[in-house]
Amino acid sequence: MIMLADVKKSYDNEVVLQNFTMTVSKGEFAFITGPSGAGKSTLLKLLYCYEHADSGHIAVDNWIVSQLKIRTVPYFRRSIGVVFQDFKLLCNKTVFENVALALRIHNMEPEEITKRVIAILKEVKMHGKADVYPQYLSGGEQQRVVIARAMVTQPMMLLADEPTGNLDAENTRTIMRLFREINARGTTVLIATHNEDLYFGSGSRVFFLKDHHIEKEIIG
Ligand SMILES: Nc1ncnc2c1ncn2[C@@H]1O[C@H](COP(=O)(O)OP(=O)(O)OP(=O)(O)O)[C@@H](O)[C@H]1O
Ligand SMILES: [Mg+2]
């Protein structure tokens, strides 16, 4: 469950979100769209506790995100997968290690980590480059590794900011199918995108963000 009630968020003197209220149910698959600069990325960052609201109430499952103590934030984040532009792959780690790191903080057995990492890399069709460093990958390949990293822990919530922006049509279909599969296993999925093709015909809720709040909501 994602819940924002009467949230205000500004940067310096610029108001981005105001009287912002939105609820996404547990296990739902939803989209957020709207003009460039409307605040879609900001919304996802608030939910990840990467940005902080000026006022209002934000909750994710049993976590009161708007009141999280700094030392609690890393624990909260363990249950969230993110595909954000600001969270690039680590350049001194291989593809395999970048994805495995997400599991190492969960204290998982090394054999289990290897099994899971290889399986998810196969799903995003990157297992052939497991030992490669990110700088030798194309933009779309890097993005598929980022998506694998976000999904490998089977998080309670997946936040994806323009996840298919630099993917071709076939990889876009593959990734959207993977998002659907992880959602079918219980993960709440929220995707920010400009791409109407992602949500038209999806049967999922689409929130339109404009003038600091949700202007309307449709079924895609
Ligand atoms: N760290 C920041 N410091 C100051 N202003 C910021 C910061 N991040 C975003 N903004 C401003 O907040 C507004 C909303 O930005 P945001 O990135 O959330 O929009 P967006 O809807 O994701 O846009 P896009 O579709 O282009 O990705 C913009 O006017 C932007 O300039
Ligand atoms: Mg954005």
Side-chain angles (χ1 to χ4, degrees), residues 186-207:
T187 300
T188 308
V189 178
L190 181 61
I191 300 176
T193 186
H194 284 124
N195 186 354
E196 297 176 351
D197 293 341
L198 290 193
Y199 57 78
F200 275 142
S202 66
S204 300
R205 273 204 296 169
V206 185
F207 297 93

Side-chain angles (χ1 to χ4, degrees), residues 37 39-42 85 161-162 192 194:
K40 304 179 294 297
S41 301
T42 298
Q85 271 95 3
D161 199 354
E162 214 63 74
H194 284 124

